[in-house]
Amino acid sequence: MVELIRNEASAAGAHWHFGAELLRHSRNERKADNMSKAKVLVVGSNATQIEVQGGKWGPTGNYLNETVVPVMALIRATYDVQLATPDGTKPHMDKASDSAMHFGGDTAAYSRARSFWTDDPVMNQVLPLGAVIEKGLDDYAGVFVPGGQAPVVDLMQDPQMGEILRHFHGRAKPTALLCHGPIALVSAMPRAREFRAALIAGDESSAKELAEGWPYVGYRMTIFSASEEKWVEKEILHGKMYFTMPQALSAAGGDVATAKRDFEPHVIVDRELITGQNPRSDHSVGEALVKALDETNSQRRPNVATHA
């Protein structure tokens, strides 16, 4: 069943308040929650620059709020979190996200998120993707990929990211991706690198052929829109990207839909896949992922008979 979640602008204030409450959940309080439901894999990017047309590069990284808000939602719901990246080093924070603006102007919530990113063990005990695969993916109940444009550079074409996604897809485990994060789904196709190269070359026809074997064909999904990208190109990258995110996922075979208004919270859930469109979808993605994990755990938990 496909569930479409759209949070109207009038509810935005409530979501920012909710995020602030999550970030008040201190490390000591988490230690008291010693009954973990399960473990969730969070995959970050190591990219610090992204290609733009004309042979130039623009700054990039993972977004602060897109990473911390969903992760704190998982922790608050008593899920353990393991952060991993392609090379096992901590993700680079996109400077454009290092602002209270992404926390509804709440400077206290921003400060707590910044401290969590900088100091919390969850953000500093990072594993390489290869080590995660070697130790066994069956240990994880779900996976989450935050955004910022960085995943377009590495995760989109990373073979180990593809192996991880195919594992979760094959077992129908909750798979959540936010903003530019859903572009990582491309890595699950057999010829992801060639697919990306075709898009950069402007050869969308070849890209569609190279997408053969992609496990998410026909899935409903969302991602950072082409019109939202124009703002980033103008204000942050100072250059034009080679392809848009909806263009890439549509060429791969996804059923892509974006909100009518830019930067409006927008989340789509289709089977195990949870995708959020933009930075303001951070709270909604966290909520949807926790809900999916709770439902999955409930279904797999054996019934225990009680006797008088």
Side-chain angles (χ1 to χ4, degrees), residues 5-9 12 15 259 261 263-267 277-278 280-281 284:
I5 307 171
R6 287 187 180 179
N7 297 298
E8 300 300 331
H15 279 286
R261 290 186 290 179
F263 298 105
E264 186 74 11
H266 182 206
V267 174
Q277 179 174 327
N278 49 40
R280 289 192 60 211
S281 304
S284 303

Side-chain angles (χ1 to χ4, degrees), residues 46 83-91 124-129:
N46 291 128
L83 178 61
T85 63
D87 67 13
T89 62
K90 186 173 181 177
N124 290 285
Q125 296 173 357
V126 189
L127 292 177
L129 294 184

Side-chain angles (χ1 to χ4, degrees), residues 8 41 48-49 56-57 66 87 139 152 154-155 158 170 205 211 239 249 259 264 274 301:
E8 300 300 331
L41 178 64
T48 60
Q49 292 184 309
K56 300 178 181 179
W57 294 80
E66 293 177 24
D87 67 13
D139 290 342
V152 183
D154 54 4
L155 299 186
D158 189 284
S205 177
L249 291 187
E264 186 74 11
I274 303 163
R301 188 180 300 122

